[in-house]
Amino acid sequence: MTPILTITLNPALDISTLAAGIRPGPKLRCCVPVFDAGGGGINISRAIRAMGGESRALVALGGATGARMADLMAAAGINVITLHAPGETRQSLAVTDTETGGQFRFVMPGPEWLAQDVAAASDAIASAAPTGGFMVLSGSQPPGLPDDFMLQVTARLAGKARLIADTSGAPLARVAATPGLGLAMLRMDEEEAGSLAGHPLTSRAESAAFATTLVDAGVAAMVVLARGSDGSVLVTPSGRWFCAAAQVPVVSKVGAGDSFMAGFVLALAQGKPPEQALAFGVAAASAAVMTPATELCRGEDAARLLTQCPVSPL
């Protein structure tokens, strides 16, 4: 299998619990919390392992929270490369109301990065890049990281590894506005894509047309636009495809995007063509929404749902 490296620069210790009747004022008595190592790249490595694959995870960790996350990842069997973070690793809290099923998510900011921290991260990424392999840079950026960091990483790789990106906000805007950037794959959701396009993308055809502009500009060789419960659109220089999401009961949407990325890159690393990788990604995302809180896709669910995620040309 082609090697995979995931990169998480703004990880979080995810804490999830349950409480009844969430409202302001009284003390809310919670159930025993569950702790998970979270953040885009970490989640992707966890989901890859759940589906029977292997990856390495480059993670910026700091302080006691970072040490606890390192222990959790080791217990999960994830091969971690630790990058020293400039402060305490952040935490996030997800509380589900047992009376309504509603989920409340509180996400803390990460530590502020200085110029030397950015340079150290760039050096670490370039050093760890697997020659000929896939690198997945996913998740939010820590405060202080420049919006053009993805561009800097791409320039330093100089074709050594194939960079796959799942980002948002200003960093995504910089990526999308850089012709010839040459990412292996770029993923975004329908809201992010609509913001870049300047109008909502209300149909699969509109999503494919916008993704085509990015592929034609050389921003990425493959562009995926996630359309929520509808499914996902993939555009490459050789074609445009849509994969329908499996119809499953939705418990929590947390981790669906990361599970998609895990299924997609794992399939590519196993030598499958992009349109088949799309189906694996959508099946993994469909499996993820069936699990509670910060739990990702289960490998057996993703495998079972694959036949319920048909791919068709657009």
Side-chain angles (χ1 to χ4, degrees), residues 12 18 49-50 81 106 113 139 170 189:
L18 305 171
R49 185 164 180 79
I81 305 170
F106 304 89
W113 286 41
D189 64 31

Side-chain angles (χ1 to χ4, degrees), residues 118-193:
V118 176
S122 181
D123 289 343
I125 291 170
S127 176
T131 302
F134 292 102
M135 293 177 59
V136 188
L137 184 52
S138 177
S140 63
Q141 292 194 170
L145 203 73
D147 293 340
D148 66 350
F149 184 75
M150 190 86 67
L151 281 59
Q152 297 178 29
V153 170
T154 304
R156 289 204 61 177
L157 290 177
K160 179 181 178 182
R162 290 167 281 183
L163 184 60
I164 292 174
D166 186 358
T167 187
S168 60
L172 173 60
R174 290 297 299 270
V175 166
T178 306
L181 181 59
L183 295 176
M185 193 269 266
L186 175 65
R187 178 192 177 275
M188 66 190 80
D189 64 31
E190 58 183 336
E191 182 177 344
E192 294 163 345

Side-chain angles (χ1 to χ4, degrees), residues 11 18 23 51 60 70 84 113 133 151 173 182 186 209 217 229-230 263 280:
L18 305 171
R23 60 193 185 279
M51 290 184 283
H84 175 71
W113 286 41
L151 281 59
L186 175 65
S229 60
D230 185 35
F280 276 80

Side-chain angles (χ1 to χ4, degrees), residues 44 51 97 136 163 166 185 238 241 289 295 299 313:
I44 292 168
M51 290 184 283
D97 190 333
V136 188
L163 184 60
D166 186 358
M185 193 269 266
S238 60
W241 295 272
V289 303
E295 188 176 347

Side-chain angles (χ1 to χ4, degrees), residues 3-300:
I4 302 170
L5 175 73
T6 65
I7 303 167
T8 313
L9 300 181
N10 199 29
L13 178 65
D14 290 333
I15 307 168
S16 56
T17 186
L18 305 171
I22 298 178
R23 60 193 185 279
K27 290 182 178 180
L28 301 172
R29 303 295 179 180
C30 298
C31 295
V32 176
V34 175
F35 297 88
D36 290 299
I42 295 172
N43 291 341
I44 292 168
S45 281
R46 286 171 53 203
I48 286 173
R49 185 164 180 79
M51 290 184 283
E54 294 292 335
S55 66
R56 300 179 77 196
L58 175 64
V59 187
L61 297 173
T65 305
R68 183 167 190 180
M69 286 189 61
D71 290 341
L72 288 169
M73 287 183 284
I78 297 174
N79 185 352
V80 178
I81 305 170
T82 300
L83 171 66
H84 175 71
E88 187 79 20
T89 296
R90 65 188 179 132
Q91 299 183 13
S92 68
L93 174 65
V95 184
T96 300
D97 190 333
T98 57
E99 294 181 359
T100 66
Q103 187 177 71
F104 298 80
R105 301 173 66 189
F106 304 89
V107 181
M108 313 301 172
E112 183 81 24
W113 286 41
L114 302 178
Q116 61 265 30
D117 304 312
V118 176
S122 181
D123 289 343
I125 291 170
S127 176
T131 302
F134 292 102
M135 293 177 59
V136 188
L137 184 52
S138 177
S140 63
Q141 292 194 170
L145 203 73
D147 293 340
D148 66 350
F149 184 75
M150 190 86 67
L151 281 59
Q152 297 178 29
V153 170
T154 304
R156 289 204 61 177
L157 290 177
K160 179 181 178 182
R162 290 167 281 183
L163 184 60
I164 292 174
D166 186 358
T167 187
S168 60
L172 173 60
R174 290 297 299 270
V175 166
T178 306
L181 181 59
L183 295 176
M185 193 269 266
L186 175 65
R187 178 192 177 275
M188 66 190 80
D189 64 31
E190 58 183 336
E191 182 177 344
E192 294 163 345
S195 177
L196 292 175
H199 59 86
L201 303 176
T202 58
S203 68
R204 299 168 186 174
E206 287 184 326
S207 293
F210 176 70
T212 299
T213 65
L214 299 177
V215 172
D216 289 347
V219 173
M222 298 178 282
V223 175
V224 170
L225 265 61
R227 294 182 52 81
S229 60
D230 185 35
S232 290
V233 168
L234 166 68
V235 173
T236 77
S238 60
R240 311 195 308 181
W241 295 272
F242 172 76
C243 182
Q247 299 303 303
V248 297
V250 177
V251 177
S252 170
K253 297 179 181 179
V254 176
D258 294 331
S259 294
F260 174 93
M261 292 292 282
F264 190 92
V265 71
L266 178 58
L268 290 180
Q270 293 171 337
K272 295 178 174 62
E275 62 271 25
Q276 288 187 24
L278 178 66
F280 276 80
V282 171
S286 299
V289 303
M290 298 169 59
T291 62
T294 55
E295 188 176 347
L296 302 167
C297 65
R298 297 172 183 143
E300 60 272 22

